[in-house]
């Protein structure tokens, strides 16, 4: 995401440095965004504002996201949101999904397509869950040879090299019609 672009709740400035301008609010000495948009710092007026971008909408709690895994970290995955409730997302927003409680070695790999549900917005970070049965990996490839994999119980097996690997699979893993 553009680092100049903020989403609601995200920190813009400190109250000792700036005054809250348009599309912002003040909370515990911090100025935060109330809308998505680019930060505008007016140094002469000491005003921190957000230039609202109307076309961008932030997914709400309960929305189902389809996205691409950007990073696969030991306790979480970062997902670039591509579809919200089946509709194409109109901006590059990222969400974070905690995976440390899931007993899988590889919940999802980078570049996998996953289905997750938005559970909260905390200080500008969108948090999602991959826990329910219908959520998880929709599309993945072999970790060894990037070949095509097929589902084998709750794991995947490579058609090319035979490597078996675990993933947190979605109920409709392998169905190609997940995008409307
Ligand atoms: Zn393989």
């Amino acid at each position: 995401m553009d680092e100049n672009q903020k989403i609601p709740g995200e920190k813009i400035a400190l109250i000792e440095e700036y005054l809250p301008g348009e599309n912002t609010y003040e909370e515990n000495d911090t100025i935060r965004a109330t809308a998505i948009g680019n930060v505008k710092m007016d140094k002469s007026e000491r005003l921190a504002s957000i230039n609202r971008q109307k076309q961008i909408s932030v997914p709400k709690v309960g929305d189902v996201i389809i996205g691409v895994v950007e990073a696969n970290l030991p306790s979480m995955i970062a997902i670039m949101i591509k579809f919200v409730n089946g509709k194409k997302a109109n901006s590059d927003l990222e969400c974070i999904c905690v995976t440390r409680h899931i007993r899988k070695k590889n919940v999802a790999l980078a570049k996998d397509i996953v289905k997750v549900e938005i559970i909260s917005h905390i200080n500008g970070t969108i948090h999602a869950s991959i826990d329910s049965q219908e959520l998880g990996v929709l599309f993945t490839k072999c970790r060894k040879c990037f070949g095509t994999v097929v589902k084998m119980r709750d794991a995947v097996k490579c058609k090319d090299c035979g490597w078996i690997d675990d993933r947190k699979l979605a109920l409709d893993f392998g169905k190609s019609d997940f995008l409307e």
Side-chain angles (χ1 to χ4, degrees):
M1 191 161 49
D2 181 354
E3 94 178 38
N4 204 26
Q5 184 186 292
K6 300 293 177 187
I7 66 170
E10 204 167 353
K11 181 181 163 183
I12 307 169
L14 294 172
I15 209 78
E16 61 193 25
E17 302 165 331
Y18 284 91
L19 296 165
E22 267 186 84
N23 300 313
T24 68
Y25 67 99
E26 191 186 324
E27 182 193 72
N28 302 332
D29 303 331
T30 302
I31 301 170
R32 297 181 186 276
T34 60
I36 293 192
N38 289 319
V39 179
K40 196 180 125 198
M41 298 295 209
D42 186 332
K43 291 212 164 69
S44 56
E45 303 270 341
R46 291 183 59 232
L47 209 57
S49 326
I50 291 286
N51 284 332
R52 184 194 279 269
Q53 284 169 256
K54 282 195 186 74
Q55 71 275 23
I56 296 175
S57 57
V58 181
K60 298 184 297 295
V61 171
D63 284 351
V64 174
I65 300 300
I66 289 173
V68 178
V69 176
E70 293 234 297
N72 171 23
L73 305 164
S75 62
M76 64 171 78
I77 51 175
I79 302 158
M80 183 60 81
I81 297 171
K82 295 295 180 188
F83 291 83
V84 181
N85 297 328
K87 290 207 183 89
K88 203 170 186 317
N90 52 15
S91 61
D92 289 340
L93 289 176
E94 210 176 66
C95 64
I96 296 291
C97 185
V98 172
T99 56
R100 76 169 76 87
H101 57 291
I102 299 173
R103 297 171 69 92
K104 295 269 183 195
K105 205 156 71 117
N106 300 297
V107 169
L109 304 182
K111 304 273 185 261
D112 280 1
I113 296 172
V114 293
K115 188 194 251 186
V116 296
E117 186 181 334
I118 302 301
I119 50 169
S120 64
H121 294 172
I122 301 167
N123 293 343
T125 303
I126 304 170
H127 292 259
S129 164
I130 198 168
D131 294 0
S132 328
Q133 201 191 1
E134 70 269 18
L135 304 174
V137 173
L138 292 170
F139 180 81
T140 185
K141 282 187 164 177
C142 173
R143 193 156 54 90
K144 296 281 171 194
C145 74
F146 301 105
T148 306
V149 296
V150 291
K151 188 176 171 178
M152 238 185 63
R153 290 184 292 274
D154 60 347
V156 289
K157 183 179 180 180
C158 179
K159 278 181 167 175
D160 297 332
C161 75
W163 180 259
I164 296 170
D165 214 353
D166 64 350
R167 300 278 191 284
K168 165 66 174 84
L169 297 176
L171 201 58
D172 46 1
F173 171 80
K175 290 179 190 159
S176 55
D177 57 349
F178 54 81
L179 301 181
E180 282 173 19

